[in-house]
Amino acid sequence: MNFFAKNKEENLSRRLRNGDCHAMREFYALYGSYLTAVCLRYVPDEEDMRDVMQESMIQVMTHSKDFSYRGEGSLRAWATKIVVSQSLRFLREKKQHEWMILDRELPDVQEEDDPPIHEIPPDVIHQMVTELPTGYRTVFNLYVFEGMSHQEIARLLGIKPDSSASQLSRAKNLLAKKIKQYQNLQKQL
């Protein structure tokens, strides 16, 4: 980010803290697409995602006074945490029965080799991730995209660190199988 962009982000965060209604529009124009993509990783249903995003934007406005600018990218990172938090809250409240799989001890499965994902279009990979069971998808997203450790994920989701690692392994295996199926289908075309 260059000097002007940095000052723009810092200025925008100050205006948000001061309750400037135009600042929220500017914030959404800058970060809305990115934050929507983050939300869709957790909440793939469009209608549900819109509800979560609306609640997230309310949280951004409500808590903007609590935000303190800490340098380049801090506003986006702060908003991302809000979106992830709201997404997880939604999943806990609305889809509680799907979380049951996180607590079950399932037998270990043999790990698949990492498939060559660079050959798969990003939108296809995204679709494959959204098709994962909720628990697998959530742990996968928290680990891969949010960079959380299994201990952090376990605390956040109320599960054991071993369950988090197991869910990640299963998510990777399912993705590897989906990628192989996709590649085989592409060879047939």
Side-chain angles (χ1 to χ4, degrees):
M1 200 179 272
N2 65 32
F3 175 76
F4 294 108
K6 178 184 172 204
N7 282 342
K8 183 177 182 176
E9 184 184 54
E10 188 173 13
N11 180 33
L12 178 59
S13 67
R14 186 177 66 255
R15 290 173 43 224
L16 282 170
R17 280 193 308 274
N18 292 331
D20 181 341
C21 64
H22 297 292
M24 189 59 191
R25 284 191 201 123
E26 189 177 331
F27 171 85
Y28 196 78
L30 279 172
Y31 302 119
S33 294
Y34 172 78
L35 296 173
T36 299
V38 169
C39 189
L40 277 169
R41 286 197 312 249
Y42 295 92
V43 184
D45 179 78
E46 291 277 335
E47 193 172 314
D48 290 340
M49 180 276 304
R50 280 190 219 107
D51 291 343
V52 172
M53 281 301 296
Q54 181 177 0
E55 184 58 34
S56 296
M57 292 304 103
I58 290 169
Q59 292 298 316
V60 166
M61 285 302 291
T62 303
H63 296 286
S64 61
K65 288 178 173 67
D66 301 334
F67 173 73
S68 59
Y69 183 77
R70 292 195 170 104
E72 180 180 321
S74 62
L75 182 60
R76 184 173 107 160
W78 174 76
T80 300
K81 286 182 182 179
I82 289 174
V83 170
V84 169
S85 176
Q86 291 301 315
S87 298
L88 294 176
R89 178 176 287 133
F90 170 81
L91 292 173
R92 278 191 298 270
E93 290 172 1
K94 300 293 183 186
K95 311 238 186 228
Q96 195 144 18
H97 64 280
E98 292 182 33
W99 288 93
M100 298 266 228
I101 196 166
L102 288 173
D103 294 327
R104 273 193 245 145
E105 291 300 324
L106 300 172
D108 287 328
V109 292
Q110 184 176 349
E111 289 234 359
E112 296 278 332
D113 293 333
D114 288 340
I117 62 169
H118 61 279
E119 298 173 6
I120 312 292
D123 60 322
V124 173
I125 295 287
H126 172 75
Q127 183 60 38
M128 290 175 184
V129 171
T130 63
E131 292 170 356
L132 291 173
T134 302
Y136 292 3
R137 183 179 65 246
T138 302
V139 170
F140 180 84
N141 285 324
L142 291 171
Y143 187 86
V144 172
F145 294 108
E146 308 309 327
M148 292 185 172
S149 70
H150 289 299
Q151 283 76 17
E152 292 169 315
I153 294 169
R155 274 194 305 274
L156 185 63
L157 300 180
I159 60 175
K160 298 175 187 172
D162 290 346
S163 294
S164 175
S166 176
Q167 296 299 306
L168 177 63
S169 177
R170 287 181 177 81
K172 287 175 152 182
N173 284 338
L174 274 175
L175 284 174
K177 288 176 185 172
K178 286 177 178 283
I179 289 169
K180 284 180 183 175
Q181 289 171 347
Y182 176 84
Q183 288 174 321
N184 289 337
L185 185 64
Q186 293 303 306
K187 288 177 186 175
Q188 293 174 4
L189 296 179

